[in-house]
Amino acid sequence: MVMNEQETRNRHIRPSIARAGWSDHQIREEYPYTLGRIHVSGKVSKRGDRKKVDFLLEYKPNQPVALIEAKSIVGNDLGTGMQQALGYAEALDVPFVFSSNGEGFLFHDRTGQSAQTETPISLDQFPTPEELHRRFLVWKGIAEESSPVASVINTPYYTDDPRKSPRYFQRIAVDRAVEAYAKGEKRMLLVMATGTGKTYTAGQIMWRLWKSKQAKRVLFLADRNILVDQARVNDLKHFGNALTKITRQSFNDVGSLMSYEIFLSLYQAMSGTNEDEKFYKKLPRDFFDLIIIDECHRGSLEEDSQWHEILAYFTDAAHLGLTATPKETKSASVTHYFGDPIYTYSLKQGISDGFLAPYKVLRVLLDNDITGWRPAPGTLDDEGKDVPDQLFELKDVNQ
């Protein structure tokens, strides 16, 4: 009997997985992990095809350990879908990969634990959830379940809707950050394109470290009030009464902060302008376990900046930088301070996946860019000096 791919999955592959002990809630069939690139033609736009994994196997929710690429029995051998499956596994950060034509499986171990990278197995030899989970923990470098890394790995994501889950790149970013922290890393960097949910990702990192008791006090630090306030009412609201915002009013009641564990603050509220206004110095150097610096490419990197003093003061804490645009100049380097990114999700990848829209660059010239600008006689600059009597053109303004 000739079977197509779907029939092969339903009659041979899924029953084999189920016999090995995988429950329905652990099997995500035809799992789409992208939205499909947006293609624009004139004023018309449409989405391309989503990328889908035939089977994604999760030991726990949002903890994928293996994936399977299926092909129909006729005309295909066990390894026909392996290269395609390895591409999916690379993107999804999944360690164990299987391809199948319904007559058996070809098992590919990306972790290096097996003597052979690829091994053919029969339909009745598919690994159990417990077997793949043990190998998964070895891949993560976990020797025992009581270790800090095991604790954060086993701590679930926060969700107020079981039907919702983080996007694949958000999951990878969160996993790598919490695991790096649990292993004792003090400087970490996540590079994620604008619009891909950096604050949501930060909230999940804070949640899992806080719930697993790996980080008792966490500070989310930003340089714009709107970033802090939006985080408080949206992506961090689930911390409830454990969360507070540090303001200039906190200066007069430092003791009240001791009952909180999750803190939001502007640099400006922590640093002040004069020595006696430096609020951060009222706190012990070891007060925070983790500081997450939003838009870390901005003002806190320069070593002589007032804002950098805050990070330099809390040296006992781990520092996690979030940015869409890493800054590399003579006076400030994101990677020099935080190290190489533990994960990068670029604008290009976001557009390719369909989570971000493609764009066009439009060059817009202002009137003064075109005609130039000449100051009126006696015009002074911000320092009270005479502005030269000349025609300032676009190149002068750019300079």
Side-chain angles (χ1 to χ4, degrees):
M1 179 181 177
V2 177
M3 293 186 190
N4 60 30
E5 184 179 306
Q6 183 175 356
E7 291 171 329
T8 302
R9 289 201 310 264
N10 294 340
R11 297 188 184 187
H12 294 274
I13 299 176
R14 190 175 183 111
S16 173
I17 303 169
R19 287 196 300 271
W22 293 88
S23 303
D24 286 344
H25 70 271
Q26 295 176 302
I27 304 171
R28 303 182 74 167
E29 188 169 354
E30 288 198 289
Y31 166 68
Y33 69 91
T34 71
L35 292 181
R37 184 185 177 112
I38 299 172
H39 298 278
V40 180
S41 178
K43 295 183 178 181
V44 179
S45 64
K46 64 178 183 178
R47 285 195 180 272
D49 294 334
R50 291 182 170 194
K51 290 183 179 179
K52 295 181 181 180
V53 174
D54 287 331
F55 293 97
L56 185 70
L57 304 184
E58 297 181 321
Y59 185 74
K60 293 181 179 180
N62 300 309
Q63 191 187 91
V65 295
L67 60 82
I68 304 169
E69 178 62 25
K71 299 297 179 185
S72 61
I73 290 178
V74 177
N76 295 300
D77 59 29
L78 293 181
T80 298
M82 182 55 72
Q83 285 305 118
Q84 185 178 353
L86 289 174
Y88 295 151
E90 179 72 23
L92 295 174
D93 205 21
V94 172
F96 307 117
V97 187
F98 298 83
S99 64
S100 177
N101 64 355
E103 296 180 330
F105 297 93
L106 183 64
F107 171 44
H108 185 107
D109 183 354
R110 299 180 63 233
T111 69
Q113 297 177 44
S114 304
Q116 291 181 312
T117 303
E118 293 186 347
T119 308
I121 59 177
S122 70
L123 291 176
D124 294 326
Q125 291 178 313
F126 196 84
T128 65
E130 292 71 27
E131 181 181 348
L132 285 186
H133 185 240
R134 282 195 301 270
R135 297 173 70 116
F136 175 82
L137 294 180
V138 172
W139 175 55
K140 293 293 185 180
I142 299 172
E144 53 187 41
E145 287 281 352
S146 60
S147 70
V149 182
S151 177
V152 295
I153 283 179
N154 292 327
T155 300
Y157 286 72
Y158 171 81
T159 180
D160 55 2
D161 185 347
R163 295 169 297 179
K164 293 182 180 180
S165 60
R167 291 170 173 170
Y168 81 90
F169 58 87
Q170 294 168 339
R171 171 187 59 79
I172 297 172
V174 173
D175 287 349
R176 291 194 182 178
V178 298
E179 290 166 22
Y181 177 90
K183 291 176 181 178
E185 295 291 334
K186 286 294 188 179
R187 299 288 182 271
M188 298 161 283
L189 177 65
L190 288 174
V191 177
M192 298 174 66
T194 300
T196 57
K198 288 193 292 297
T199 309
Y200 168 83
T201 301
Q204 292 289 2
I205 293 169
M206 295 160 70
W207 177 262
R208 293 180 69 194
L209 290 174
W210 182 61
K211 293 296 285 186
S212 64
K213 303 187 186 309
Q214 298 303 309
K216 182 179 180 182
R217 290 196 182 105
V218 181
L219 171 64
F220 181 85
L221 194 59
D223 66 348
R224 295 180 184 177
N225 209 43
I226 190 171
L227 296 175
V228 171
D229 289 341
Q230 284 181 343
R232 186 176 190 176
V233 300
N234 293 320
D235 293 314
L236 305 183
K237 65 181 180 181
H238 51 277
F239 286 102
N241 293 332
L243 180 148
T244 190
K245 178 181 177 182
I246 296 174
T247 64
R248 295 304 296 167
Q249 284 69 39
S250 305
F251 200 95
N252 300 318
D253 192 10
V254 178
S256 65
L257 297 179
M258 300 303 170
S259 61
Y260 297 97
E261 295 179 313
I262 306 298
F263 301 83
L264 307 177
S265 182
L266 294 173
Y267 286 105
Q268 297 91 321
M270 296 285 284
S271 64
T273 54
N274 303 315
E275 186 64 29
D276 59 354
E277 293 180 343
K278 295 186 184 299
F279 176 76
Y280 67 88
K281 289 190 175 181
K282 289 182 172 288
L283 300 172
R285 287 181 177 271
D286 61 354
F287 188 76
F288 299 112
D289 299 308
L290 171 66
I291 300 177
I292 297 180
I293 304 97
D294 195 29
E295 305 295 356
C296 67
H297 61 280
R298 295 206 282 252
S300 63
L301 278 183
E302 288 86 353
E303 293 187 5
D304 59 349
S305 76
Q306 190 176 33
W307 292 353
H308 189 78
E309 293 178 7
I310 301 171
L311 302 184
Y313 182 81
F314 295 110
T315 53
D316 288 346
H319 296 172
L320 170 62
L322 306 177
T323 184
T325 53
K327 185 177 183 179
E328 301 295 332
T329 67
K330 291 182 179 180
S331 61
S333 167
V334 168
T335 56
H336 177 72
Y337 185 83
F338 291 101
D340 292 332
I342 55 177
Y343 184 64
T344 297
Y345 189 74
S346 66
L347 174 65
K348 180 180 178 181
Q349 189 62 50
I351 292 173
S352 177
D353 288 344
F355 295 114
L356 299 175
Y359 61 91
K360 292 181 179 179
V361 177
L362 301 179
R363 182 172 176 81
V364 178
L365 294 176
L366 305 178
D367 290 349
N368 287 341
D369 291 340
I370 300 172
T371 62
W373 174 76
R374 188 165 193 162
T379 300
L380 304 178
D381 65 17
D382 290 343
E383 297 178 353
K385 299 177 181 178
D386 288 326
V387 177
D389 182 17
Q390 68 178 67
L391 181 66
F392 290 89
E393 298 178 328
L394 179 58
K395 61 181 177 60
D396 302 308
V397 175
N398 290 337
Q399 179 64 33

